[in-house]
Amino acid sequence: EPTTEPGILTPRKSFEVWRETVSGRSEAWSAIDIEAAARVARELGELQRARQLARLNETLRRALGERDTLLTQKDFLLREGNHRIQNSLQIVGSMLTLQLRQSKDPEVRHRLEEALGRVNAVTLVHRRLYRTDQPRMVDLEPYVRELVGDMAGSLGGGWDRQLHLGLSPVSAATEVATTLGLILTELVLNAAKYAYGGEPGPIHVTLSEAAGHVVLRVSDRGRWTAGG
């Protein structure tokens, strides 16, 4: 092009610098770039999952801690309630025993023995509930053995050799054990009174399980009176 001033050259417009702004695009990635990006993505995903797992573990840890605290409080309350109930039952049993020792009337003694037997039946169930890790179930074999032994002691001398047991290992729910203990108490005391007139005589107690049911049998060899 002609110069405007003497001795000064100016470039033609075709040689001007070409500029262009591009967004959202990049140069083509190489295989190494793609592999590195994939590795970074995997690591970021693992890091996110690890953080989520850590949060879940923390939530679970807090929930378990709260559960353990509640269980501890519940166990304390149950033990405190058990202690109070046991004390109350022992007081009632002691009063009945004292009256039984002082009474000479056969009918009164029989009524006291029945009441004492019922208290003992409930006391033994309650006592055994807190000797096991399964508070809703009772092992009936030692329960019946202990209950019959207590009744033999309350009936007087000679009865301990007359009460014969045939017991199989059977478990039952708490309410079933309580009901069974009360029934057993009634049957043994009635057998002692009506079958043998209060004098020692053989009484057989058997416990077994058949078709998912608890089977309790109380039998004697005495002669029942009209009162039986």
Side-chain angles (χ1 to χ4, degrees), residues 28-62:
W29 286 19
S30 67
I32 295 176
D33 294 333
I34 295 174
E35 174 61 24
R39 184 163 55 249
V40 171
R42 288 194 299 269
E43 291 177 353
L44 290 175
E46 290 294 334
L47 178 61
Q48 183 179 13
R49 285 190 289 271
R51 288 178 176 176
Q52 291 176 345
L53 182 59
R55 288 195 294 268
L56 289 175
N57 287 335
E58 178 62 20
T59 302
L60 180 60
R61 186 191 65 78
R62 288 198 299 267

Side-chain angles (χ1 to χ4, degrees), residues 125 128-129 134-140 143 170-174 177:
V125 169
R128 290 193 171 277
L129 288 179
Q134 296 180 323
R136 295 185 179 180
M137 301 296 293
V138 175
D139 189 356
L140 295 179
Y143 167 60
V170 181
S171 296
T174 304

Side-chain angles (χ1 to χ4, degrees), residues 66-200:
E66 293 173 358
R67 186 207 63 175
D68 292 340
T69 300
L70 291 175
L71 289 176
T72 301
Q73 293 174 350
K74 180 181 178 181
D75 183 66
F76 173 77
L77 292 175
L78 287 174
R79 292 184 182 276
E80 181 64 19
N82 171 58
H83 178 70
R84 294 178 181 274
I85 292 173
Q86 288 287 344
N87 284 344
S88 299
L89 290 172
Q90 288 176 1
I91 291 173
V92 174
S94 298
M95 293 176 61
L96 290 172
T97 301
L98 180 61
Q99 293 180 1
L100 182 61
R101 291 175 180 173
Q102 295 175 349
S103 177
K104 302 299 182 183
D105 188 305
E107 184 61 27
V108 173
R109 289 183 60 84
H110 179 67
R111 296 304 179 187
L112 291 173
E113 288 170 352
E114 288 180 339
L116 182 60
R118 295 188 185 101
V119 171
N120 286 341
V122 176
T123 301
L124 288 178
V125 169
H126 195 266
R127 187 187 307 163
R128 290 193 171 277
L129 288 179
Y130 296 90
R131 292 179 183 173
T132 177
D133 295 332
Q134 296 180 323
R136 295 185 179 180
M137 301 296 293
V138 175
D139 189 356
L140 295 179
E141 190 272 334
Y143 167 60
V144 170
R145 188 178 301 279
E146 189 172 355
L147 181 58
V148 171
D150 287 349
M151 283 190 288
S154 65
L155 287 172
W159 277 105
D160 56 336
R161 296 187 297 273
Q162 298 295 340
L163 294 172
H164 307 282
L165 305 179
L167 310 177
S168 300
V170 181
S171 296
T174 304
E175 57 272 16
V176 174
T178 303
T179 302
L180 184 141
L182 295 173
I183 293 174
L184 175 60
T185 299
E186 295 289 334
L187 292 176
V188 171
L189 294 179
N190 283 338
K193 178 180 179 180
Y194 297 112
Y196 301 113
E199 296 297 324

